[in-house]
Amino acid sequence: MNHPATTCESRFTARQIATVLQRSKRSILNALENIPPDGLQENRAQVWSLPALPETLRVKLAGEARRRGYAGATDLLASPPYVWEPPFPFTEAADHCQAKALKLHRALLPMFNTMDDASLSEAAREAQGVEHYRKVFGHAISTRQWRKLWKRTLERDSEAGNWQRLEIYLDDNTVRKTFAPANVTESNAKFRPIADWLSCFANPAQPTSREEASLWEEAFRLFSAQVNEGQAPKRLKRRLLEFLWKHARFLAGSFPALRKNFGRKLAKWQVDGGPALLDGREQRRGLPTAAPIIQDDLDTIIWHAAKNCGGRRAQAVRELAALGINSGLAPETRSLMDAESGSKSYVNPRLDEAIKHDVTNIRPYLQGKKAIEEATASHERDYSNLSSMQVLCADDFTWPVYFWVPDGKGWFTLTRGQCIVFIDVRSWKVLAWSLQPERNYNALIIGTLMNQICMSKGVPDFWYFERGIWKQANAIKRPVPNSWQDNASWAERKTQWAELGVRFIHATRARSKPIERVGGLLQDMMEGLKGYCGRNERLDCPDVTKNHKLEVESKRVAHPSAYFMSFDEWHSQLGQIIERYNANSQDGRVLDGKSPDQTFQQCWPLTDPPRIFDADCWHLCAHWVSERKVTEEGIKFTVLGKSYSYLNERTSQDRGKTVLAWFDPETPSFLGITDMNKKNPYVVPRKLGSDFLADLTPEGKNIYEENCALIAGHNAYPKARFTVMKEKFQMAHRANLVDPRTAATAKALAGGREQIKAQEKEESTLRRQIDNLLGKLQKQRTGVEYTPATLETLKRRAEIESRYQTETTPETIDRGKL
């Protein structure tokens, strides 16, 4: 408790009253406008006695005196002004604390200059103060917080009006730059142990209660030891108190209070030792001091609050208190609930502490499975042992962006559609995605994306899907062409994937899928786009989107493109967002400052890379299957008015057989083939149509040559079989029996015939090559020598003319001569 100096004068100035009540002097003068002063001071300042003050001021002064520990308002007003000092000089405060104090000084100084402005109300002053604070600090605070800062600064100033004292703007939790040890001079060298002990505190500006107790004990030990050595107790005590007040001001609010605390604590320490120095509240912390509340009554209140009041404890207490004895609660419990308060939300603190945790804990079990999952501890998964393409995760998203599509009735429909996204779990990279305007999706879309990933990146070890439609995938069916049927069900294909060593994982909770976080990061990049409707459209949809949506639905606009994107525009925009996401670096435990693209490359399994999508996997992702006969044209069919033809050297082995054709309309470049038992798979490329003038363009020539190779491969097996059969079943003849001389003569003649035939063949080939070159060069054949030298000369000339023709533009070709 403060002890003011006695005074015989009980008259006070408006400044004194304003300082105590932390109000402006002008507001006090306005309140005393109709009350004549009781006299004047030497400086001509008007003074009033306490009984002459208005009732409102006397009540406020009495309440302030009780709060500060004074006997009455007279003692409060008559006490000398208390000069507040920080625990250490302003220059020793940490840099960030000094910077914040300087900002607060700039924010409050304009308001101090308006304290005597009678035309400015308290509400207006607070509004202006909040605005000044926002301009200086760059962010706003509440009026209540500003009022707290204002009153704290006025109280620290203590009527001095010295607004340039920067230390009065420091925060309560101000810390030093680095703790500077107490300045121990020769005169107080005996107190060095106390200075050393003080430097051991974690925060010397705000020590804990146990640190304060240890400092008191250290001071008492030093004091007792030096008294025993012959030091004068009173003089030693005075110098020790001066040292503590200078370097450990947190021990008391004033020097007289420090002197009294020293005497009281020293007496306790001499009797009971160190534990007696601890604050009693610290010793009793956590120990119950009142009789425990009956557990059955607590259970009744907890169940009523969780079951019938939505977890609102104050409502449950009010309702049970209104029932009185019919509530079934004990009288002592009802007495806690019947406490009078001005707020209907008031609950006895001890009762509220006893029930609040259990109400929160059992509430999810009354709400259902999803709430229980949210209130359950999560697993922290370690990604360090994963590699790229080991686990792929997928999910469907309804992005928070509306786009328009034609409705087929002359107008447009606004929809958010559905988007299927596949990611690599290790790198969080988006590998494939598909956007469709329908609100649902089907197995075809999932299978198509799986095809794309397996063909471009490889086959993963695990597919990580959710349950529901991802497990069944039969919500919508694409029209199946005649003579075709749907591929096997997902359950059947799952076993087929397992035969290849690929497993399916089905998540039981949404939060267990890492793709949920990826979807959130992508949605962060969509805010501000045309048609953005918020994460929870019912709660956070922007008003501008609501208004634009109503205008389009009511046909009050000429076209929705003014407010919303088309499907194609949104598809392109979404692709750009996904590219930026894959390229942007991310902090966190998984990516650790790297982008998904970088992580995907760095974590690629070089020693055991994923296998590429081949024939063994093709039929697992194909959409349609059909029985087809392999003819001399290969496998040929028409789907939705478009012809497809497939053949190569492998189909030549199945000519005439009936096989299963596995067709994926999203990747028609290849066709999967198995036997009727779904075994012996292989993939056949598509034979494209050859342009009539294919040899005039490089691209057309390549297609033509590829088709020739496919046709030749398709005919290879019958030709090879014919050759084998022909050699195997040659007609047998009996060998001639001749004498050795006749056989030697026949052998020599046969050798001569073979040599003559070879020479004639070489001359025939030479003449044919020279004639062909002469025809291309449009030269006469007369007088030409058919020698190897002539052939080489004609080849060089043909090569020169060929280069000249290739450099000529297509427009210079005379089509009439073709």
Side-chain angles (χ1 to χ4, degrees):
M1 180 182 294
N2 294 321
H3 294 273
T6 58
T7 178
C8 59
E9 182 64 51
S10 297
R11 294 181 297 177
F12 312 101
T13 64
R15 171 67 71 182
Q16 288 177 288
I17 300 173
T19 302
V20 169
L21 297 179
Q22 297 177 358
R23 292 172 56 178
S24 66
K25 176 183 176 182
R26 177 54 57 187
S27 65
I28 300 299
L29 290 175
N30 290 340
L32 300 175
E33 184 178 5
N34 299 324
I35 301 176
D38 293 329
L40 297 175
Q41 286 185 341
E42 294 180 358
N43 58 0
R44 309 297 296 174
Q46 296 177 337
V47 292
W48 287 264
S49 61
L50 189 62
L53 299 179
E55 179 67 21
T56 55
L57 289 181
R58 291 201 304 272
V59 171
K60 290 181 179 180
L61 288 171
E64 189 67 20
R66 287 193 303 271
R67 187 181 72 85
R68 298 192 188 185
Y70 286 90
T74 302
D75 293 338
L76 173 64
L77 291 170
S79 62
Y82 167 67
V83 180
W84 181 86
E85 293 290 346
F88 42 81
F90 179 83
T91 55
E92 295 183 11
D95 292 339
H96 68 278
C97 297
Q98 291 187 24
K100 188 174 181 180
L102 290 172
K103 285 186 175 181
L104 184 60
H105 171 250
R106 294 200 307 271
L108 295 181
L109 188 59
M111 306 314 301
F112 290 135
N113 297 331
T114 64
M115 290 183 63
D116 294 332
D117 187 358
S119 62
L120 191 64
S121 63
E122 292 295 332
R125 177 178 290 106
E126 291 174 357
Q128 291 184 12
V130 170
E131 180 62 20
H132 280 295
Y133 187 96
R134 185 192 64 79
K135 291 181 179 178
V136 174
F137 282 86
H139 63 85
I141 59 173
S142 64
T143 303
R144 179 179 179 181
Q145 180 65 18
W146 184 89
R147 190 185 305 117
K148 179 180 178 181
L149 296 174
W150 172 262
K151 290 185 176 181
R152 185 190 71 183
T153 308
L154 288 177
E155 185 173 343
R156 290 177 176 180
D157 179 68
S158 300
E159 197 184 352
N162 185 5
W163 311 122
Q164 302 303 325
R165 289 184 62 213
L166 297 180
E167 55 266 27
I168 66 176
Y169 304 99
L170 288 170
D171 276 349
D172 293 330
N173 57 351
T174 298
V175 296
R176 280 178 170 169
K177 296 177 182 178
T178 54
F179 177 72
N183 184 19
V184 180
T185 61
E186 295 182 2
S187 60
N188 55 18
K190 60 175 66 70
F191 303 133
R192 183 178 297 277
I194 298 178
D196 295 340
W197 192 259
L198 185 63
S199 65
C200 297
F201 287 6
N203 182 3
Q206 288 184 315
T208 65
S209 58
R210 293 187 178 275
E211 287 175 334
E212 289 187 14
S214 68
L215 183 62
W216 279 116
E217 185 173 3
E218 187 67 21
F220 294 153
R221 285 177 180 174
L222 181 64
F223 178 78
S224 299
Q226 294 190 11
V227 168
N228 293 334
E229 292 176 0
Q231 294 284 339
K234 290 186 178 181
R235 183 179 179 185
L236 178 63
K237 178 180 178 181
R238 184 177 68 254
R239 294 181 60 187
L240 177 58
L241 288 175
E242 291 175 352
F243 184 85
L244 291 175
W245 178 244
K246 182 176 181 180
H247 300 291
R249 194 164 295 183
F250 52 81
L251 292 175
S254 62
F255 188 80
L258 179 64
R259 182 187 296 110
K260 178 168 284 190
N261 284 342
F262 186 92
R264 185 176 67 251
K265 291 182 180 294
L266 177 62
K268 286 185 178 181
W269 178 78
Q270 291 172 343
V271 176
D272 299 327
L277 301 178
L278 275 176
D279 191 338
R281 293 170 296 182
E282 180 72 21
Q283 295 177 338
R284 294 189 299 272
R285 182 173 297 173
L287 299 177
T289 57
I293 304 174
I294 301 173
Q295 187 61 45
D296 289 342
D297 291 351
L298 293 177
D299 292 344
T300 300
I301 300 172
I302 291 169
W303 182 258
H304 186 69
K307 182 72 167 61
N308 304 320
C309 301
R312 294 178 291 275
R313 304 185 299 275
Q315 177 184 344
V317 169
R318 288 197 311 271
E319 292 179 357
L320 292 176
L323 293 176
I325 194 173
N326 295 327
S327 64
L329 303 178
E332 53 267 35
T333 305
R334 296 201 304 273
S335 65
L336 293 176
M337 300 166 60
D338 293 335
E340 296 183 0
S341 174
S343 172
K344 74 171 189 176
S345 299
Y346 174 80
V347 179
N348 180 274
R350 190 161 65 92
L351 176 62
D352 189 56
E353 182 65 27
I355 67 174
K356 65 179 182 181
H357 300 296
D358 283 343
V359 171
T360 303
N361 292 335
I362 70 171
R363 175 73 178 150
Y365 291 88
L366 295 170
Q367 292 176 311
K369 181 180 178 181
K370 184 175 181 181
I372 296 175
E373 291 179 354
E374 293 295 331
T376 303
S378 59
H379 292 278
E380 184 173 330
R381 298 189 175 186
D382 183 10
Y383 288 72
S384 59
N385 294 325
L386 281 181
S387 60
S388 299
M389 290 300 299
Q390 186 175 0
V391 183
L392 301 189
C393 185
D395 202 357
D396 58 292
F397 293 94
T398 301
W399 301 125
V401 177
Y402 274 101
F403 58 90
W404 59 266
V405 293
D407 61 358
K409 301 177 182 179
W411 195 240
F412 307 93
T413 298
L414 294 179
T415 180
R416 294 163 62 183
Q418 281 284 344
C419 184
I420 310 298
V421 179
F422 279 74
I423 69 164
D424 170 59
V425 172
R426 176 60 186 91
S427 62
W428 287 9
K429 177 180 179 178
V430 177
L431 299 178
W433 58 280
S434 174
L435 177 67
Q436 53 275 344
E438 295 85 5
R439 298 181 61 185
N440 298 310
Y441 53 91
N442 54 28
L444 303 183
I445 300 173
I446 302 173
T448 298
L449 293 179
M450 294 171 69
N451 280 351
Q452 294 177 4
I453 295 174
C454 291
M455 292 181 67
S456 61
K457 300 294 190 303
V459 181
D461 295 337
F462 297 91
W463 293 110
Y464 192 3
F465 294 159
E466 68 177 0
R467 296 179 182 270
I469 191 172
W470 282 88
K471 197 174 181 181
Q472 307 299 331
N474 291 320
I476 301 176
K477 292 294 183 182
R478 179 182 297 183
V480 182
N482 295 332
S483 73
W484 293 84
Q485 61 182 359
D486 279 323
N487 194 359
S489 65
W490 273 97
E492 183 177 352
R493 274 183 278 175
K494 183 177 179 180
T495 60
Q496 294 173 341
W497 278 106
E499 293 175 0
L500 298 176
V502 182
R503 295 173 55 190
F504 281 79
I505 304 174
H506 294 285
T508 57
R509 302 177 182 175
R511 65 177 183 174
S512 64
K513 296 178 296 182
I515 195 172
E516 293 288 343
R517 177 56 182 155
V518 174
L521 295 174
L522 290 173
Q523 292 182 70
D524 291 342
M525 305 171 69
M526 297 176 187
E527 296 187 18
L529 296 178
K530 290 172 61 175
Y532 179 78
C533 62
R535 300 291 185 90
N536 188 347
E537 184 179 356
R538 188 173 61 88
L539 300 177
D540 58 359
C541 180
D543 289 341
V544 62
T545 303
K546 293 180 181 178
N547 296 334
H548 292 165
K549 190 169 178 288
L550 289 174
E551 290 186 28
V552 173
E553 292 174 346
S554 60
K555 302 181 181 180
R556 295 199 299 265
V557 294
H559 197 276
S561 59
Y563 303 139
F564 300 94
M565 291 182 282
S566 65
F567 173 78
D568 293 336
E569 290 173 339
W570 172 226
H571 191 279
S572 175
Q573 185 72 42
L574 181 59
Q576 297 175 16
I577 290 175
I578 292 176
E579 288 181 3
R580 290 203 312 271
Y581 161 79
N582 284 337
N584 290 344
S585 61
Q586 299 180 23
D587 296 328
R589 179 173 52 89
V590 179
L591 299 185
D592 192 21
K594 296 184 288 292
S595 69
D597 283 335
Q598 292 173 333
T599 306
F600 186 77
Q601 294 294 332
Q602 294 178 5
C603 297
W604 185 264
L606 298 176
T607 57
D608 186 21
R611 59 177 175 173
I612 200 65
F613 192 71
D614 54 16
D616 292 335
C617 313
W618 188 270
H619 63 289
L620 299 180
C621 293
H623 293 170
W624 300 323
V625 61
S626 176
E627 296 182 6
R628 293 288 165 175
K629 187 174 182 179
V630 184
T631 66
E632 63 275 5
E633 295 290 338
I635 301 176
K636 195 171 184 178
F637 53 82
T638 301
V639 174
L640 301 179
K642 194 170 184 178
S643 297
Y644 298 89
S645 179
Y646 300 88
L647 72 169
N648 66 354
E649 67 278 359
R650 183 63 181 82
T651 57
S652 66
Q653 302 178 23
D654 291 335
R655 287 179 66 161
K657 297 180 181 179
T658 301
V659 296
L660 289 178
W662 304 83
F663 182 61
D664 182 3
E666 304 294 339
T667 53
S669 299
F670 296 91
L671 182 71
I673 303 295
T674 65
D675 59 23
M676 299 302 293
N677 295 320
K678 301 180 181 179
K679 298 184 181 301
N680 302 318
Y682 61 91
V683 176
V684 185
R686 182 183 178 187
K687 179 172 71 71
L688 300 175
S690 301
D691 187 57
F692 187 78
L693 301 176
D695 58 339
L696 296 181
T697 60
E699 181 180 357
K701 187 176 182 180
N702 292 336
I703 295 176
Y704 176 77
E705 292 176 351
E706 290 175 1
N707 289 341
C708 290
L710 294 177
I711 294 172
H714 187 59
N715 292 328
Y717 182 75
K719 184 177 180 180
R721 291 294 293 165
F722 170 76
T723 303
V724 171
M725 294 295 179
K726 179 181 177 182
E727 295 294 333
K728 185 176 181 180
F729 296 101
Q730 282 281 2
M731 296 182 66
H733 298 276
R734 187 176 61 185
N736 291 323
L737 297 177
V738 295
D739 60 279
R741 182 179 294 178
T742 304
T745 302
K747 184 176 182 181
L749 293 174
R753 282 199 304 271
E754 293 296 331
Q755 184 177 0
I756 293 171
K757 286 183 179 180
Q759 185 176 357
E760 290 178 351
K761 186 176 180 179
E762 290 179 1
E763 292 177 354
S764 176
T765 302
L766 181 63
R767 293 181 66 88
R768 186 174 64 254
Q769 291 177 347
I770 292 175
D771 289 341
N772 289 338
L773 290 173
L774 289 173
K776 289 184 179 181
L777 297 174
Q778 299 180 358
K779 298 294 184 180
Q780 297 294 330
R781 291 182 173 83
T782 58
V784 176
E785 295 182 2
Y786 290 90
T787 62
T790 303
L791 178 63
E792 291 298 326
T793 302
L794 292 176
K795 283 183 177 180
R796 288 197 298 272
R797 186 166 182 177
E799 183 180 354
I800 293 172
E801 292 194 7
S802 177
R803 284 203 303 269
Y804 174 74
Q805 290 178 0
T806 55
E807 293 174 358
T808 307
T809 58
E811 289 75 4
T812 62
I813 298 176
D814 188 356
R815 299 293 181 181
K817 294 181 180 180
L818 294 177

